[in-house]
Structure formats: C-alpha cells, structure tokens
Amino acid sequence: MKLPVNATKKYDIVSFPSFDFLAVEMKKKARGKNVLIVSDDNVAPLYLEEVKSALSGFFVHTFVFPAGERSKNVDTYLKIVGALAENGFVRQDCVLALGGGVVGDVAGFAAATYMRGISFVQCPTSFLAMIDSSVGGKTAVDLPQGKNLLGAFYQPDLVYIALKTLSTLPEREVRCGMGEAVKYAFLSESVTPELLKRGVTEELIFECLKIKADIVEKDEFDKGTRAFLNLGHTLGHAVEKLSDYSLSHGECVVKGLAKIIDMSVKKFSLSEEKKQKMISLLALSGTEPTLPFGLQEVLAETVHDKKREKSGVNFVLLKDIGKPTSVLLTAEEAEALLQ
Ligand code: NAD
Ligand code: GLY
C-alpha cells in the first residue's frame, strides 16, 4: 500500500512484505551514496543483514545501541552524530532508522541536526512505530527531567514498512501498539472496533496512518489540532517517567486514556451509554488500564509536559468518540475531574 503525506516535505509511506524494494524506493529520493543504519540490539540481529543486502548500490554503515527507552538520550544521540561525522557524511547522505519508536525518534533527531539536516528514512519495525512514531516528523530524545524534551520537527524522506518484521514482534509490543491504535479509534470512527478486533493488519495500519497524516498535514508544527494525537499522553508520559520506563509508552497511553474517559464523562456530563462504549473500546487494547501510581504523584509529574502553559496543562478530552477537544486545566481542576 502507499499513502502520500503532504507536509512541508512531501513523502510517501509505503508497505511491502519484505525489504526487497527498499533500494528502489530510496533511489527515487536519495542523492547521496552513504547510508547509516541506526538500529537497536533486538532488531539488528533479526534484520540488519537483510537490510544491508537490500541496499545494493549504497555504502552502508551501521550503528547499534541497547534497546529500550533508557537509550533515547543525549549520549546515544551524540554517538550517532559522531558516527556520521567520522564517516564523512554530507547533507545528501542518509540516516535510516531500523526499529521501533525509540530508534526512529533518536535517529530522526540526529538526522535533523547533523549539518542542520540530512536525508532520513524510517523503516519502522514495531506496530507502534508503523502507525505513529515513524510519520509526522516529531524527533526527540529524553532528558532526565522528562520525555522528549529535546527534539525537532523533521519529516522523513520515506517511510518504508516491511510487514514481515511484525512476525518477530513480542506479544507485549503488539499490545503497546494496540494502545495507540485504540487512541486513533477514539479520535475517528474510521478505526472501527471490528477492525481492531481483527488484530494487526495492513488495513488497520493504514487506517491509523490516514488519521495521522491528515492531522499532521493540517497542523504539522503542533500549534493546534495536532494536540489531539496526544490523547491520553499527558498522564501517560507522566506514568512512563514515574515507572522509570519499566512500563512502555503504549501501556502508559492506555492508562492515560482510561483517566481521560473519567475526566471527559465528568466535564461533559456524558451518558452512561457513552461511557460504557468508551470503556469497551479501551478494553480492545488488551492492556490493564489501572494507574499504578497515586493521582497526586501523576499530576505533579505533568509539570514537565511540553503542552503545559503558565496557567495549567492542556488535556485532550472527548465530547464523544470521534470528538476530541483541548481543555486547559489547572492541577486543581484536573484533580477535581479525576476524583
Ligand atoms: P521501542 O522502539 O522501544 O520498541 C519496543 C521493543 O520492541 C524494543 O525492545 C525493540 O527492540 C523491539 N522491537 C521493535 N521491532 C521489533 C521487531 N520487529 N521484532 C522484535 N522486536 C522488535 O518502542 P516503540 O513502542 O516502538 O516506540 C515507543 C517510542 O516511540 C517512545 O519513545 C515514544 O515516546 C515514541 N513515540 C514517538 C512518536 C512520534 O511521533 N515521534 C509517537 C509515538 C511514540
Ligand atoms: N504522537 C504525537 C504526534 O505525532 O503529534
């Protein structure tokens, strides 16, 4: 399948069964010959050799770091840009992210900033990265103070999905991706419960991507409606940080979404029927929605959220399924809605 994204940089999201067409797709865009494949030590043993052989005609370099959110930091970023400099990369050369959202975010930030921006290809291998993080140009690393605090908007030149990579994705990671897929189902009824029940399919991936691309095209630099993509994330990011990243991003988004349902029901006096519809939808994520920390603790952690303003934190709430809205709340107001 193919989906064009009309952001300030125009690019395609393409899916194929394997990596066989990667070089062909890259050559449509690439002017440089050097490629640095950035991957983690779970994904590299599975796919690095295959991707290297698929990139005939390119000079391939590799950089592999330990898997996990704790690697999404300044140190990994500096090592990647260091590798680019040591190997004489110039602007036309390319960084290729082979992995989940962690690889994509840190490799993307390196591509965005090395020589003020070099060519960048995303090869997402987790379900979450396929439907969310590889598209839209948000790149970042975490700081000790909070998630994604150092980053840049930088669209890729190509998003290449090799569907075969889903076959090795651990069950827990599939559920994490389902957390984000359910988020899309809350944002638009085009991701139906029936589609979610069928599990990870190419159709589900592209239905989610259509929603993401549409929002990104309308508000690429996150000044308004792009905040809707952060549904469940304000509390989710706080829980992720409090768990010291032992809980994954997708799991924390589900916990955040559960609280958004409670807050929305109270704020907009939603009917019991609507509430139950939302709870059933969330259950399709397969992740336990309970908050593992006290409410006060979680709310205190939201002070590091990027969407905060002087007078409070912006929460995306739901007037109904498919009807998100941004609401600026002080900590007291948020707490009152959560009681
Ligand atoms: P991840 O990159 O840590 O991947 C999850 C785990 O799955 C890792 O252990 C990884 O090694 C493994 N893995 C990935 N693909 C595999 C495969 N095919 N086979 C076997 N193992 C595989 O995490 P994630 O869930 O992909 O992404 C979460 C990250 O993405 C977070 O840092 C989050 O902040 C970020 N994110 C960014 C955006 C954005 O717009 N940039 C959006 C959503 C999430
Ligand atoms: N995942 C949030 C965004 O892309 O804006």
Side-chain angles (χ1 to χ4, degrees):
M1 286 192 186
K2 178 169 162 173
L3 179 70
V5 182
N6 289 308
T8 41
K9 193 193 264 179
K10 300 196 183 334
Y11 57 97
D12 288 333
I13 308 167
V14 293
S15 65
F16 291 96
S18 69
F19 290 103
D20 287 356
F21 295 93
L22 180 58
V24 174
E25 290 295 324
M26 280 177 62
K27 280 174 188 162
K28 289 180 187 167
K29 288 266 182 168
R31 284 182 292 139
K33 278 281 170 209
N34 281 309
V35 178
L36 178 73
I37 304 175
V38 178
S39 193
D40 73 27
D41 62 3
N42 288 335
V43 176
L46 298 167
Y47 300 109
L48 188 57
E49 284 313 312
E50 196 175 331
V51 174
K52 277 165 84 176
S53 1
L55 289 179
S56 58
F58 290 92
F59 297 114
V60 180
H61 309 257
T62 59
F63 179 83
V64 177
F65 63 82
E69 184 73 28
R70 288 187 190 92
S71 289
K72 202 174 114 176
N73 57 31
V74 174
D75 185 47
T76 308
Y77 160 75
L78 287 176
K79 286 180 178 149
I80 298 171
V81 290
L84 292 170
E86 268 165 33
N87 290 296
F89 272 58
V90 294
R91 277 192 179 148
Q92 294 72 29
D93 292 326
C94 178
V95 171
L96 185 152
L98 174 69
V102 166
V103 171
D105 279 12
V106 64
F109 185 50
T113 48
Y114 179 74
M115 293 192 168
R116 301 198 184 90
I118 71 170
S119 182
F120 179 43
V121 171
Q122 287 267 20
C123 287
T125 62
S126 70
F127 178 38
L128 184 145
M130 288 178 191
I131 62 173
D132 194 351
S133 59
S134 62
V135 172
K138 281 192 178 175
T139 72
V141 294
D142 303 333
L143 293 182
Q145 290 81 358
K147 261 190 73 89
N148 298 331
L149 291 186
L150 187 64
F153 287 99
Y154 196 65
Q155 302 292 339
D157 294 289
L158 169 72
V159 180
Y160 185 103
I161 300 174
L163 294 162
K164 68 178 285 186
T165 57
L166 289 167
S167 65
T168 54
L169 195 64
E171 189 48 41
R172 181 179 174 194
E173 300 307 333
V174 173
R175 271 189 281 111
C176 293
M178 271 297 168
E180 293 281 8
V182 164
K183 173 196 80 178
Y184 286 114
F186 276 111
L187 294 178
S188 163
E189 288 184 299
S190 61
V191 175
T192 61
E194 292 66 38
L195 187 54
L196 289 166
K197 281 178 200 159
R198 272 184 252 145
V200 182
T201 57
E202 196 176 12
E203 190 188 350
L204 175 59
I205 293 170
F206 276 81
E207 277 309 323
C208 294
L209 285 172
K210 275 185 219 158
I211 299 170
K212 175 126 194 189
D214 185 50
I215 291 179
V216 167
E217 285 168 6
K218 288 183 179 133
D219 179 26
E220 181 174 348
F221 298 104
D222 211 0
K223 305 268 187 230
T225 49
R226 186 162 178 171
F228 293 165
L229 289 170
N230 264 11
L231 184 73
H233 283 55
T234 303
L235 296 170
H237 281 161
V239 174
E240 207 179 339
K241 169 89 188 334
L242 285 172
S243 80
D244 195 22
Y245 303 110
S246 61
L247 291 171
S248 75
H249 180 75
E251 287 167 339
C252 295
V253 166
V254 171
K255 294 176 195 304
L257 285 171
K259 289 294 157 200
I260 291 304
I261 295 176
D262 292 345
M263 292 169 85
S264 303
V265 166
K266 208 159 184 181
K267 175 86 183 161
F268 303 117
S269 308
L270 301 184
S271 67
E272 185 59 28
E273 190 195 349
K274 274 188 187 166
K275 179 180 170 183
Q276 289 310 324
K277 210 171 146 196
M278 289 179 180
I279 290 172
S280 314
L281 194 54
L282 189 65
L284 295 177
S285 70
T287 289
E288 168 60 50
T290 329
L291 270 194
F293 302 101
L295 210 49
Q296 300 285 351
E297 212 182 345
V298 175
L299 283 173
E301 192 55 47
T302 61
V303 297
H304 296 299
D305 194 89
K306 294 188 298 308
K307 303 277 187 301
R308 74 184 183 277
E309 293 184 16
K310 275 210 182 86
S311 45
V313 174
N314 270 308
F315 284 84
V316 181
L317 300 184
L318 292 160
K319 288 185 168 169
D320 198 349
I321 292 173
K323 294 202 174 80
T325 181
S326 279
V327 183
L328 183 67
L329 297 173
T330 62
E332 294 73 35
E333 285 168 333
E335 201 180 332
L337 288 178
L338 281 160
Q339 296 304 332

